[in-house]
Amino acid sequence: FCLKHHQSSFFLHLALALCGVSMCVLSKVEDVLLLVSIFLHAAAAEVCMDLPRCMEPAGTCISPKDYISPRPECPEHRHLFSYDKRAVKKLKDHDEFCGKYVYRLPSTGVLVTLPPPTGEELTKVYQDYDDQLPIPGPDHWRPAGQAKMVLEAMKGKAGPLTVVEIGCQRGWTLFNLRHLAGHGGKLICFDPDPDGQPWRLENFKKAETEVKGLSTEIIFDLFDPSKLTPESVDVFLSSHTVEHMNDPCGWLEGLDRILKPDAIVFTEVPDDSRDPMNYTIVFHYHLNYFNEHSFDALMKRSGYEMLSKDVRRWKDLDPTIKPEIWWPWRPEIRMVHRKMPKKERAEKTEL
């Protein structure tokens, strides 16, 4: 990327570095020097790089004030972060994250990792990933609640419908939506995880038995829009996947290709936007950090209108499910968006 000299924020970031000392326990002088050097790295220049095209206008530069933190997975920086050992008990050091930093994008406010890891780097990193919430069945609060939101958004829409989910794990949410895809519709799951495959096969077979005219398909791969017919999908779901993507803009472009006009997109992401700022790790390998405002801004920039939102905070949860959750300070964001037809997008852009 291209660097421009930018000294005006030197003292700002030096002050932030000193404040950062209070965020974590630094037992060595070297730790303090390392923390200061990290912020000096950000203060040294205004960085012009290729920012995510769906989040920022072309030509936008990142300035020192947009710098948030280094990556905790880099061995040089790990000791600067505090973390819950229940959440990251298997987190290992990864040189793949060295030289990558978290920045706040000026327009949407999304926190992103730049430069993003390559696909090869992520493949290596995820070999030791073990961070999925165990979901025993379709009545579990997560798939049940997700399906309820989708069904409410689809009231009055005639079938047969095609419903697609990426990272469907055992397929519980799709199973709960099986009646949407009856009489010629289809449930499609993209998921490369071999551990969940026996469950997916069993659940899809049961769904086909219960719902007349339903067909199912499991694509043992990451999301690949080229494997779907253009403008063929009525409902698209993702749960706790967008925060892991190294190219969320490519994902959105793929959605635009496969979704019908007025199709809906259900997304659940964690609100962990404070973690990099606080130098804490709750869940690992998140590359994008959202809050409810920044995620909606991302979708709006790509031509989607929010239909409903559910921000799940600890105080609002059913007491029976609280023992399963050990991150009470971090809300989870559920949103349903509608893909606006091209004419409607153009009219809103003009406004």
Side-chain angles (χ1 to χ4, degrees):
F1 28 89
C2 159
L3 299 179
K4 297 179 185 176
H5 189 56
H6 191 105
Q7 294 179 327
S8 61
S9 297
F10 172 85
F11 291 105
L12 169 64
H13 282 276
L14 182 59
L16 288 174
L18 295 176
C19 291
V21 173
S22 65
M23 299 178 191
C24 51
V25 178
L26 300 175
S27 58
K28 300 178 182 178
V29 174
E30 291 85 351
D31 293 342
V32 179
L33 294 176
L34 175 59
L35 187 59
V36 172
S37 70
I38 291 170
F39 282 101
L40 293 184
H41 162 81
E46 183 175 84
V47 183
C48 298
M49 66 177 82
D50 291 331
L51 301 181
R53 55 196 176 278
C54 59
M55 301 182 190
E56 295 298 322
T60 301
C61 283
I62 290 181
S63 67
K65 66 182 176 61
D66 301 313
Y67 173 83
I68 302 297
S69 73
R71 292 294 315 192
E73 298 89 350
C74 176
E76 298 175 8
H77 303 150
R78 170 70 67 82
H79 62 291
L80 299 176
F81 290 77
S82 61
Y83 55 90
D84 188 327
K85 292 186 184 301
R86 291 174 297 177
V88 292
K89 59 186 178 181
K90 294 187 178 181
L91 180 60
K92 297 179 181 178
D93 291 335
H94 287 285
D95 292 335
E96 291 84 0
F97 282 97
C98 297
K100 304 181 191 305
Y101 300 88
V102 177
Y103 296 88
R104 186 193 309 276
L105 297 180
S107 297
T108 58
V110 177
L111 274 59
V112 299
T113 300
L114 296 173
T118 65
E120 290 182 359
E121 288 173 331
L122 288 181
T123 297
K124 184 176 180 181
V125 164
Y126 275 97
Q127 289 176 354
D128 68 330
Y129 180 76
D130 184 17
D131 195 23
Q132 292 188 344
L133 178 69
I135 298 177
D139 296 328
H140 183 271
W141 56 268
R142 177 169 283 170
Q146 292 175 348
K148 181 181 178 182
M149 247 183 121
V150 172
L151 290 171
E152 288 174 352
M154 296 302 292
K155 280 182 179 177
K157 293 198 175 184
L161 304 178
T162 297
V163 185
V164 176
E165 183 176 11
I166 56 171
C168 72
Q169 297 186 356
R170 297 180 176 183
W172 297 125
T173 303
L174 284 175
F175 181 81
N176 286 339
L177 297 173
R178 60 196 182 279
H179 294 289
L180 287 180
H183 305 286
K186 192 172 188 178
L187 301 178
I188 301 174
C189 166
F190 284 88
D191 200 316
D193 180 13
D195 294 336
Q197 185 70 347
W199 292 88
R200 292 190 286 269
L201 291 169
E202 180 179 344
N203 290 331
F204 277 15
K205 183 178 180 180
K206 183 179 179 182
E208 289 179 344
T209 301
E210 292 183 5
V211 180
K212 184 178 180 180
L214 168 67
S215 63
T216 62
E217 182 178 5
I218 299 171
I219 301 175
F220 197 68
D221 197 354
L222 298 172
F223 176 54
D224 183 354
S226 69
K227 295 183 178 180
L228 300 175
T229 304
E231 295 194 356
S232 64
V233 176
D234 301 280
V235 181
F236 187 93
L237 306 97
S238 70
S239 176
H240 293 266
T241 58
V242 181
E243 65 270 22
H244 295 273
M245 293 180 177
N246 65 340
D247 184 15
C249 298
W251 167 68
L252 285 166
E253 290 171 359
L255 280 189
D256 194 56
R257 174 182 176 276
I258 65 171
L259 291 179
K260 298 177 182 177
D262 289 320
I264 71 159
V265 178
F266 170 89
T267 317
E268 180 169 326
V269 293
D271 181 349
D272 53 2
S273 56
R274 290 180 295 174
D275 292 350
M277 292 184 281
N278 294 336
Y279 276 62
T280 58
I281 313 170
V282 179
F283 290 106
H284 49 286
Y285 308 154
H286 288 187
L287 304 178
N288 311 295
Y289 302 86
F290 300 100
N291 59 39
E292 58 184 290
H293 307 293
S294 63
F295 186 77
D296 185 45
L298 167 65
M299 297 299 288
K300 281 182 178 177
R301 283 184 60 88
S302 299
Y304 293 85
E305 175 189 35
M306 185 172 67
L307 300 180
S308 60
K309 174 177 68 174
D310 178 20
V311 180
R312 299 170 52 78
R313 295 182 173 87
W314 176 259
K315 65 182 180 64
D316 302 321
L317 295 180
D318 183 331
T320 62
I321 71 172
K322 287 186 177 182
E324 293 186 53
I325 301 177
W326 29 265
W327 56 92
W329 59 91
R330 189 206 68 175
E332 292 186 329
I333 305 161
R334 292 176 177 174
M335 288 187 177
V336 175
H337 288 86
R338 176 182 69 93
K339 177 187 175 181
M340 292 187 290
K342 291 181 180 179
K343 183 179 179 180
E344 187 178 348
R345 292 189 194 186
E347 289 173 350
K348 293 208 172 187
T349 301
E350 290 176 2
L351 295 175

